[in-house]
Amino acid sequence: MHLIDVTNSYSRLVESQLNTTDVNYVKVYSLGNTSVIYTESKTAIGIALENHDRRIREDEVEFVIKRLVKNTDTTYTLTVDKSRHVVEIHIDK
């Protein structure tokens, strides 16, 4: 698995996030057919995984956490929709 930085292809999304929320850092990655949106504010880190074609696998979630979360001892909240096409990871700083 490889995370590919595709932030430049999502300039409207990045601009919208920066202008309408309290985040000060946004990155968008591609993990095959899964989009990964990483946002960071002064108080929290948010990571959203989204795949419209299939359910997000557990190994994808673990891989993203391992690659994007600096402190591996950090506790996080995982929110999953019914269809498992969207997974959100929330980490308080």
Side-chain angles (χ1 to χ4, degrees), residues 19-82:
N19 290 334
T20 60
T21 64
D22 67 341
V23 300
N24 53 16
Y25 183 79
V26 179
K27 279 292 212 181
V28 183
Y29 298 95
S30 172
L31 185 64
N33 289 340
T34 302
S35 297
V36 179
I37 304 165
Y38 176 92
T39 58
E40 193 169 334
S41 69
K42 292 179 182 178
T43 59
I45 295 172
I47 304 171
L49 289 81
E50 181 179 51
N51 190 320
H52 294 290
D53 299 329
R54 62 169 175 76
R55 298 167 57 113
I56 296 172
R57 298 186 317 261
E58 190 66 35
D59 63 326
E60 291 175 310
V61 175
E62 291 173 12
F63 176 78
V64 167
I65 291 170
K66 187 175 172 183
R67 291 292 305 269
L68 297 180
V69 178
K70 307 274 189 274
N71 185 356
T72 55
D73 295 334
T74 304
T75 59
Y76 55 87
T77 305
L78 195 65
T79 307
V80 182
D81 72 336
K82 270 187 185 180

Side-chain angles (χ1 to χ4, degrees), residues 10-23 26:
Y10 290 89
S11 59
R12 287 188 183 150
L13 171 69
V14 172
E15 183 180 340
S16 172
Q17 286 287 314
L18 292 172
N19 290 334
T20 60
T21 64
D22 67 341
V23 300
V26 179

